[in-house]
């Protein structure tokens, strides 16, 4: 009677893993047969940029992927802040321009018109009116009457 040879499935898996892990000629050939990305083909093969630049680009790509993978929460927070500022920037700019216009109009009214009988609040009102398209000269003439 002969004993049946039994194979241990764990040993078989380990052998396959080690064979795949080894850098054999077949594995190297498979890696070389893959097509290059279009940007590598264009920049480094056709144009002829130096290989050192390619190495730096690939390292930066790898480190950025790791950064995104590890710091998703802080990256999302940063993007939320940027989007919030971008959303409110036109409102802030419009308000600043409006205040600048009122200051310029107030200085113009004080410098060029007779404002002895007009209070500061009325001058501010006239400058606001002027910035929105009103005619401050007409308003000053009507206030004196």
């Amino acid at each position: 009677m002969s004993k049946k040879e039994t194979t241990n499935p764990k040993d078989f898996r380990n052998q396959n893993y080690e064979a795949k892990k080894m850098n054999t000629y077949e594995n190297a050939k498979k890696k070389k047969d893959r097509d290059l990305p279009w940007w590598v083909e264009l920049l480094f093969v056709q144009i002829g940029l130096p290989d050192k630049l390619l190495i730096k680009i690939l390292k930066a790509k790898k480190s950025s992927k790791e950064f995104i993978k590890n710091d998703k929460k802080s990256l999302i927070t940063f993007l939320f802040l940027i989007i919030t500022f971008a959303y409110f920037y036109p409102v802030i700019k419009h308000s600043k321009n409006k205040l600048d216009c009122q200051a310029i109009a107030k200085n113009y009214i004080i410098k060029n018109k007779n404002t002895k009988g007009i209070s500061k609040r009325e001058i501010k009102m006239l400058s606001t009116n002027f910035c929105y398209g009103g005619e401050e000269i007409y308003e000053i003439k009507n206030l004196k009457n």
Side-chain angles (χ1 to χ4, degrees):
M1 295 185 94
S2 66
K3 289 185 177 180
K4 291 184 181 178
E5 290 185 26
T6 59
T7 58
N8 190 354
K10 289 183 181 178
D11 292 337
F12 184 70
R13 282 189 232 146
N14 288 338
Q15 289 173 353
N16 283 343
Y17 176 73
E18 289 174 5
K20 288 179 183 177
K21 189 176 177 182
M22 292 175 59
N23 194 8
T24 61
Y25 175 72
E26 292 175 3
N27 289 340
K29 188 177 178 183
K30 286 180 185 177
K31 289 180 184 176
K32 288 181 182 177
D33 287 343
R34 288 189 292 175
D35 291 336
L36 293 173
W38 66 269
W39 59 272
V40 173
E41 178 76 29
L42 177 70
L43 295 175
F44 297 98
V45 177
Q46 298 298 325
I47 296 176
L49 293 177
D51 293 336
K52 290 180 181 179
L53 185 62
L54 176 62
I55 293 169
K56 288 181 182 179
I57 290 172
L58 292 175
K59 283 183 182 178
K61 184 178 176 183
K62 183 180 178 183
S63 65
S64 64
K65 282 184 180 179
E66 289 176 4
F67 176 76
I68 291 171
K69 183 179 177 183
N70 295 335
D71 297 332
K72 282 185 181 177
K73 186 175 181 180
S74 61
L75 189 63
I76 290 172
T77 304
F78 179 72
L79 289 175
F80 178 74
L81 288 173
I82 295 296
I83 290 170
T84 303
F85 288 138
Y87 181 77
F88 285 111
Y89 179 73
V91 175
I92 294 168
K93 187 172 181 175
H94 176 71
S95 298
K96 182 185 176 298
N97 289 340
K98 193 167 66 170
L99 290 173
D100 290 343
C101 176
Q102 289 175 359
I104 292 169
K106 182 179 174 183
N107 290 336
Y108 172 78
I109 291 170
I110 291 172
K111 191 182 284 186
N112 294 327
K113 304 299 175 197
N114 186 10
T115 58
K116 289 183 180 177
I118 302 174
S119 68
K120 291 191 179 229
R121 292 181 74 197
E122 289 174 342
I123 292 175
K124 185 176 181 181
M125 182 231 7
L126 291 172
S127 65
T128 304
N129 184 26
F130 183 71
C131 287
Y132 284 118
E135 294 184 19
E136 46 76 36
I137 298 170
Y138 176 75
E139 296 290 333
I140 290 175
K141 287 180 182 175
N142 286 342
L143 282 175
K144 289 182 180 178
N145 293 336

